[in-house]
Amino acid sequence: MILIKQFNSYYNKDVWRTIKLDCTSFFYSIAGCSATIIAIIGGFIASKLISISSDRDVILDKIKEIDDELGMKTRQHKEIMQKLNDDDAYDFVRDNISMLLDNRSIDEVYKTEEKPRLDYFIMEKYWSRALEIYEEIANLDEDVFIKVNSDKVPVVLANKYTNDFDYNVCKKIIREVEKNSRKQNSNPLFSVSSLIDVDDIMPQQVGIWYHQKKGEAEQLGLRIEELRFEKMQYEDKKKQFKKPKGIKAGLCLFVTFSALGVFFPLICALINHMNTLECLCLPIISLALFGICTLSTFIYLALLLRWKNVDMEEVRHESDS
């Protein structure tokens, strides 16, 4: 009887050792399979992040190019519009030079029914500037008019008024004052020729220049709108990189699979099982967790393919628009 009991105790120990070794290898197998799948997920996430980073750099470079071109086109458009506004304002002042010499306000001169080319508030600034020029000319000493240039503008004023609008207004005021003085001092029978001012006759080249600049301004305006629209599209794409589809879910799956599929089986393999019940429950739990994580991986990949198809449809819709 004593020999039989000793044999049974040794036999049970051998069976327990065999079951323990089988469970340990099973846990290691689960951890190895999980590590392989995790490596695939990690490689996918890494490649996705590298692709996103490169695409983001391309978009940032494109936005910088658009900003540079937009700044240049905006400056060109602003310069051309300034020249056109100066020309339109000078035409307005020239057509109403008599009212300027009478110190009339812009409210008396500006009439919306005549459809002026410039807005009231823009023209108000030009008219105020023209009044300032006239007031300065009226307060000049006669000695200043001794030294004049080819346009009969005093050299002092010619050096001061470097802007085209200021210089042309100054020249027009001086000629108008001179013409009025000739009318008062000359014989009325011979004053008909003085009614025609050569400066009032617009040369053909001026009209051609105006239309050319007008066309350039319109083309620049259209190009500026196109650049702003392109920049808005690239800005929207840049915002999408802040929340890339699939990356957050992939990272969560990576961490979960690592914890449940690798670390949990390894911890179970290191535990010394004291009875048969624990030895059976832990492998079943580990296998179930491995199956759940694997199924989650396939679902994630399926959803990722669906997201790609949706993105392709959105890009196709944007290109059609």
Side-chain angles (χ1 to χ4, degrees), residues 18-32 265 268-269:
T18 304
I19 294 175
K20 184 178 181 181
L21 290 175
D22 290 341
C23 290
T24 302
S25 61
F26 175 78
F27 288 135
Y28 285 146
S29 299
I30 293 292
C268 292

Side-chain angles (χ1 to χ4, degrees), residues 29-187:
S29 299
I30 293 292
C33 295
S34 300
T36 303
I37 299 176
I38 290 171
I40 296 174
I41 298 174
F44 168 77
I45 294 175
S47 63
K48 186 69 174 178
L49 290 175
I50 293 173
S51 176
I52 289 174
S53 178
S54 61
D55 293 342
R56 185 174 179 275
D57 292 339
V58 171
I59 288 179
L60 291 177
D61 293 339
K62 188 64 178 179
I63 291 176
K64 186 178 181 301
E65 293 177 1
I66 292 177
D67 285 335
D68 295 339
E69 185 178 358
L70 184 61
M72 181 186 65
K73 297 296 184 182
T74 303
R75 288 192 298 271
Q76 292 177 352
H77 183 266
K78 186 176 180 180
E79 291 175 358
I80 293 177
M81 289 304 300
Q82 183 65 38
K83 292 180 180 179
L84 292 175
N85 288 342
D86 290 347
D87 189 76
D88 292 336
Y90 172 70
D91 291 342
F92 183 86
V93 173
R94 184 191 59 194
D95 295 339
N96 300 277
I97 189 66
S98 59
M99 304 184 78
L100 177 69
L101 299 182
D102 293 337
N103 287 321
R104 300 289 184 86
S105 64
I106 186 64
D107 296 328
E108 300 178 57
V109 180
Y110 192 90
K111 298 178 181 179
T112 55
E113 61 271 11
E114 295 181 1
K115 299 187 181 302
R117 293 179 179 177
L118 294 180
D119 185 69
Y120 171 83
F121 298 101
I122 298 177
M123 194 61 234
E124 183 181 14
K125 298 178 181 179
Y126 283 103
W127 188 259
S128 299
R129 179 57 181 163
L131 289 174
E132 292 176 1
I133 294 173
Y134 172 63
E135 183 178 357
E136 185 173 359
I137 293 174
N139 295 329
L140 287 177
D141 297 332
E142 295 181 358
D143 297 338
V144 177
F145 291 90
I146 297 176
K147 190 177 181 180
V148 296
N149 60 8
S150 58
D151 293 326
K152 296 183 179 180
V153 176
V155 178
V156 177
L157 297 179
N159 294 331
K160 181 178 181 180
Y161 300 137
T162 56
N163 182 272
D164 291 339
F165 173 78
D166 294 346
Y167 181 79
N168 290 331
V169 169
C170 176
K171 181 174 66 174
K172 180 61 180 176
I173 291 174
I174 292 175
R175 290 188 178 181
E176 189 69 18
V177 172
E178 183 181 358
K179 184 175 69 173
N180 292 339
S181 63
R182 286 203 307 266
K183 288 181 183 179
Q184 296 175 359
N185 298 329
S186 61
N187 191 337

